[in-house]
Amino acid sequence: MSSSIEQLLAHNKEKSLLDANKRVYISTYGCQMNVNDTERMYSLLEMANYSPVTTPDQADLIIINSCSIREKPVHKVYSEVGKYRKLKDRNPHLRIGVGGCVGQQEKENLIKSSPLIDFVFGTDNIDLLPSIIARSEQSGVGGKVVEAKFHHREPYHVETLVRNPGVATFVNITKGCDNFCTFCVVPYTRGREKSRPLQHVMDDVHKLVARGTKEVTLLGQNVNSYESDCGADFADLLEKIARETDVQRIRYTTSHPKDFNQKLIDVMARNQPKICEYIHLPFQSGSTRILERMNRGYTREEYLEKISMIKAAIPNVVLSTDIIVGFPGETEEDFLDTVRLVQEVGPETIFAFKYSPRPFTKAAQFTDQVEESVKDDRLARLFAAHDIVGKELAKKYDGQTLDILVEGHDEDRGNLHGRSSQNKNVFFNGDKSLIGKMVPVKITKAFSATMRGELQ
Ligand code: 5AD
Ligand code: SF4
């Protein structure tokens, strides 16, 4: 689906069969990509006269923006839909839709299994949402709509839609994934990898900055395989944003170790402090044998080599990673390799998960699946091992003064909060007029994920 805001507005005017002043509630699961898609849905629906509400009982339209990356995703959708049964009994005109990765994956199965669901739409069909809802309304109570086709041949031309851009805002630069890691459902739920044209991304950043954004996070399943229409790669895009826009900070997520190269590291190093000193670089496993079975495209040694290159060029870099335990065939020794890699690399944060078989994926067919109890045990031991690493790393922050970009204010506690370049969440007392400003904060208490400080 390709669309500028103007096209979308025109499209939605045509579809103004939609009644005025309805209320929508969107329930969001999963990654930043989904959070960003929800924001897009709200923006599109606002154009179609839907205003957002914060609880489902106030809504005329409920959308579940689902995630299927791990464990029982379909079950979660049915259980949430089930909770809305009473609302639907009270108001038969209430519409319930399912979007996101479960919508893409399950399509009409969802409707077949739950009569409460009125429409289903896929990850490539978000911009059709107003017309999907209009069709659902036209078809009356009991009418069903399913729109979950990939538009493989269409270029990825979508302008970032944000209702009220915050101090920190996300900008999609790629979508989909062609890597086919053997555990991962994303290539099936998000489709083929596509990059937005360079100039479109630049225009978005300029516009967001003009609306008050100070920090952008470039988003994609695999941002560092970004390839623009004009031949620019991810490093070129990053440097262009750093040099040619007035945004104060740039982050990105997620990057893939196999595509992480010296050029990108050099761009990061020479554009400090604009490009943040933080890299989320998932290694998934510390065992080369398992990495091979995961089809990750790098070995343990190659990952370590990239980490050395990064640390040499950006000495204050903070790393985080994703890890899977209990991948099929993972032995105790493979698992210990993962623990040792955590200790060697020193990620300040880990996002660790038990392997769960996903539909369509190769690893789901592997015959040497690991017992659930072994996965539980390994996950607990991994977190315990990281706890020691994380606490040790956090010590360095005590007494340090960090530049914090203030993002929000908690009225009840009088707390400001914001993040450091290293993506640390810092809480401190101060006036809310500081929101959007970069301020020096001395750290008084550092935990591994959050910190407390004093405004200097
Ligand atoms: N099982 C467990 N974790 C998974 N992830 C992706 N697929 C699976 C799966 N089948 C994790 C990976 C990925 C993160 C977003 O989710 O660690 O990096
Ligand atoms: Fe999934 Fe691998 Fe693609 Fe990441 S790179 S989205 S883990 S297939």
Side-chain angles (χ1 to χ4, degrees):
M1 182 78 200
S2 54
S3 36
S4 67
I5 289 182
E6 291 71 24
Q7 282 168 324
L8 284 168
L9 279 168
H11 180 74
N12 288 320
K13 269 209 191 85
E14 264 171 48
K15 302 288 173 199
S16 61
L17 289 158
L18 301 166
D19 297 343
N21 300 325
K22 290 197 168 179
R23 287 160 301 180
V24 54
Y25 172 80
I26 307 181
S27 156
T28 311
Y29 295 84
C31 63
Q32 273 315 328
M33 204 72 80
N34 261 17
V35 174
N36 220 26
D37 286 348
T38 289
E39 181 54 37
R40 186 169 192 87
M41 290 175 204
Y42 274 127
S43 304
L44 288 162
L45 290 170
E46 201 162 66
M47 293 178 200
N49 291 324
Y50 273 86
S51 42
V53 287
T54 50
T55 55
D57 55 317
Q58 301 169 276
D60 308 290
L61 169 65
I62 297 174
I63 295 175
I64 301 172
N65 189 9
S66 61
C67 166
S68 64
I69 195 92
R70 290 178 292 271
E71 288 161 306
K72 303 199 176 101
V74 186
H75 177 83
K76 278 186 196 155
V77 168
Y78 290 137
S79 112
E80 178 162 353
V81 170
K83 287 191 204 141
Y84 302 141
R85 184 181 299 279
K86 279 203 184 111
L87 297 178
K88 192 108 171 167
D89 285 347
R90 222 164 51 205
N91 171 14
H93 295 283
L94 169 69
R95 307 259 142 196
I96 300 178
V98 178
C101 292
V102 176
Q104 187 64 53
Q105 185 183 300
E106 297 297 318
K107 303 182 179 69
E108 46 281 328
N109 291 344
L110 290 172
I111 282 181
K112 281 184 198 144
S113 304
S114 172
L116 295 171
I117 300 173
D118 298 292
F119 63 93
V120 174
F121 59 107
T123 53
D124 232 8
N125 311 103
I126 293 171
D127 286 0
L128 296 174
L129 195 50
S131 87
I132 292 169
I133 296 164
R135 274 187 279 151
S136 163
E137 289 184 351
Q138 278 172 303
S139 59
V141 175
K144 308 286 174 185
V145 181
V146 177
E147 188 76 58
K149 285 191 204 80
F150 279 121
H151 300 284
H152 284 305
R153 279 196 211 93
E154 282 198 38
Y156 183 24
H157 289 185
V158 290
E159 188 171 338
T160 300
L161 291 181
V162 192
R163 289 163 301 158
N164 303 302
V167 173
T169 301
F170 293 93
V171 174
N172 281 81
I173 63 162
T174 67
K175 71 169 175 183
C177 183
D178 292 345
N179 285 322
F180 292 91
C181 298
T182 56
F183 54 80
C184 186
V185 76
V186 166
Y188 308 95
T189 57
R190 293 268 168 182
R192 296 290 55 77
E193 188 172 294
K194 291 179 190 175
S195 298
R196 293 179 62 201
L198 182 90
Q199 198 49 49
H200 291 196
V201 178
M202 293 299 291
D203 290 348
D204 273 1
V205 178
H206 284 302
K207 283 187 193 170
L208 288 169
V209 169
R211 292 171 73 194
T213 290
K214 310 285 181 196
E215 173 183 304
V216 289
T217 300
L218 307 178
L219 266 191
Q221 244 78 43
N222 185 7
V223 284
N224 51 349
S225 61
Y226 174 85
E227 228 182 331
S228 87
D229 49 330
C230 55
D233 65 12
F234 180 60
D236 298 326
L237 171 69
L238 211 51
E239 185 145 63
K240 200 169 162 69
I241 297 174
R243 299 248 160 116
E244 295 177 22
T245 75
D246 291 327
V247 76
Q248 286 184 29
R249 272 185 179 168
I250 309 164
R251 303 182 190 276
Y252 58 86
T253 196
T254 294
S255 47
H256 194 302
K258 80 175 162 51
D259 301 313
F260 216 95
N261 56 24
Q262 189 65 51
K263 179 178 173 187
L264 174 55
I265 296 170
D266 291 342
V267 164
M268 290 186 73
R270 68 174 173 254
N271 288 284
Q272 303 288 320
K274 243 189 172 184
I275 303 181
C276 290
E277 296 174 307
Y278 167 70
I279 304 173
H280 180 64
L281 199 58
F283 62 67
Q284 312 294 359
S285 168
S287 153
T288 295
R289 197 180 70 82
I290 295 295
L291 288 169
E292 217 166 277
R293 296 191 92 201
M294 288 177 161
N295 190 32
R296 290 289 291 175
Y298 54 87
T299 62
R300 173 196 179 87
E301 289 67 34
E302 282 162 353
Y303 185 85
L304 278 168
E305 173 67 27
K306 301 226 168 155
I307 295 297
S308 307
M309 284 155 54
I310 292 169
K311 287 184 176 171
I314 314 166
N316 292 326
V317 72
V318 163
L319 299 163
S320 64
T321 195
D322 292 346
I323 302 169
I324 296 176
V325 296
F327 184 80
E330 184 189 73
T331 62
E332 175 67 13
E333 195 45 43
D334 292 320
F335 167 70
L336 291 176
D337 275 343
T338 295
V339 174
R340 286 188 282 260
L341 192 56
V342 166
Q343 289 160 341
E344 224 168 307
V345 169
E348 291 196 12
T349 312
I350 62 166
F351 301 90
F353 316 99
K354 290 188 289 176
Y355 168 75
S356 68
R358 299 277 62 134
F360 321 115
T361 59
K362 268 197 179 160
Q365 308 300 320
F366 292 174
T367 50
D368 43 5
Q369 301 287 327
V370 172
E371 288 270 329
E372 215 46 39
S373 59
V374 175
K375 291 183 199 170
D376 285 332
D377 175 60
R378 287 183 187 164
L379 190 64
R381 282 155 67 207
L382 178 63
F383 279 130
H386 178 261
D387 209 38
I388 298 168
V389 174
K391 282 199 176 116
E392 196 52 41
L393 289 166
K395 280 186 191 159
K396 68 173 177 284
Y397 294 111
D398 265 322
Q400 254 197 50
T401 298
L402 301 175
D403 287 333
I404 304 300
L405 178 58
V406 186
E407 288 180 43
H409 181 256
D410 175 345
E411 293 288 346
D412 296 339
R413 297 188 190 164
N415 262 346
L416 288 172
H417 64 89
R419 275 174 301 156
S420 70
S421 173
Q422 301 89 353
N423 208 29
K424 296 288 168 191
N425 259 312
V426 182
F427 295 82
F428 53 101
N429 290 337
D431 190 84
K432 62 180 172 199
S433 61
L434 291 176
I435 293 173
K437 304 253 167 31
M438 189 89 79
V439 295
V441 175
K442 187 171 176 182
I443 304 305
T444 51
K445 187 83 202 133
F447 306 97
S448 34
T450 61
M451 304 202 259
R452 178 97 222 154
E454 279 166 10
L455 191 60
Q456 295 301 285

